[in-house]
């Protein structure tokens, strides 16, 4: 059994601490030193991407996340990181492609499902969004955000009555009736 190099453990811990202290440039430098000795250490590559993301340098972040995805194509953590950056950039078509891959690996990731549904709507793929949201609402019927998304998506498809029912389920409505107030 291979033991982890104690120096690697020390350097990696220091790099993580620097990230925690918001010393992102220093953390990147530390991870780059680690990669000189361990060039295929995907967690170091990913963490460089994470630090660039924290710095707001999303294009550099994408580069490192993409490296991870290229080397470990079925790793949802790397896919989710890459998809999240595209989502932040409002590049919904790319986000859809990446989130869809992650969803196909694990279809129980509620946060990714929410972002995928929203991205489909923002990309004006409303019919696809409807089919997707109907499918995932079978698994997460009480997710208020997904119900709201479905409602707004249906409204955009001119399915007003059904859309309002989903919005009610997602956000609730206040109904005033003479002297009483009901939350529907």
């Amino acid at each position: 059994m291979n033991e982890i190099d104690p120096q690697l453990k020390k350097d990696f811990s220091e790099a993580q601490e620097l990230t925690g202290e918001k010393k992102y440039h220093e953390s990147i430098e530390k991870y780059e030193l680690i990669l000189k000795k361990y060039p295929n250490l995907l967690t170091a590559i990913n963490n460089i991407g994470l630090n660039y993301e924290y710095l707001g340098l999303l294009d550099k972040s994408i580069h490192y996340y993409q490296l991870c995805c290229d080397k470990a194509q079925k790793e949802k953590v790397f896919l989710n990181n890459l998809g999240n950056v595209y989502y932040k950039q409002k590049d919904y078509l790319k986000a859809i492609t990446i989130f869809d891959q992650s969803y196909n690996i694990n279809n129980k990731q509620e946060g990714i499902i929410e972002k995928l549904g929203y991205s489909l709507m923002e990309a004006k793929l409303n019919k696809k969004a409807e089919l997707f949201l109907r499918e995932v609402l079978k698994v997460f019927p009480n997710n208020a955000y997904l119900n709201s998304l479905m409602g707004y998506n249906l409204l955009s498809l001119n399915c007003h009555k059904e859309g309002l029912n989903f919005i009610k389920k997602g956000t609730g409505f206040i109904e005033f009736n003479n002297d009483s107030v009901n939350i529907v």
Side-chain angles (χ1 to χ4, degrees), residues 12 31 34-35 38 41-49 64 68:
F12 203 90
Y31 282 121
I34 291 169
L35 287 176
Y38 299 95
L41 187 60
L42 293 180
T43 51
I45 296 168
N46 181 70
N47 288 355
I48 290 173
Y64 285 93
C68 291

Side-chain angles (χ1 to χ4, degrees), residues 37-105:
K37 189 169 180 183
Y38 299 95
N40 293 316
L41 187 60
L42 293 180
T43 51
I45 296 168
N46 181 70
N47 288 355
I48 290 173
L50 187 63
N51 279 286
Y52 278 124
E53 185 177 347
Y54 290 151
L55 287 166
L57 301 171
L58 300 182
D59 288 339
K60 286 188 174 192
S61 175
I62 287 170
H63 170 76
Y64 285 93
Y65 291 151
Q66 188 63 58
L67 286 173
C68 291
C69 290
D70 291 345
K71 292 178 187 234
Q73 296 173 357
K74 298 279 186 193
E75 182 52 57
K76 68 180 169 73
V77 171
F78 302 144
L79 290 167
N80 292 346
N81 287 344
L82 181 59
N84 283 328
V85 174
Y86 287 134
Y87 185 84
K88 282 181 183 179
Q89 290 181 322
K90 298 182 180 187
D91 190 341
Y92 297 113
L93 291 175
K94 286 184 181 174
I96 290 165
T97 300
I98 302 301
F99 288 147
D100 194 48
Q101 290 174 46
S102 179
Y103 174 78
N104 287 329
I105 293 168

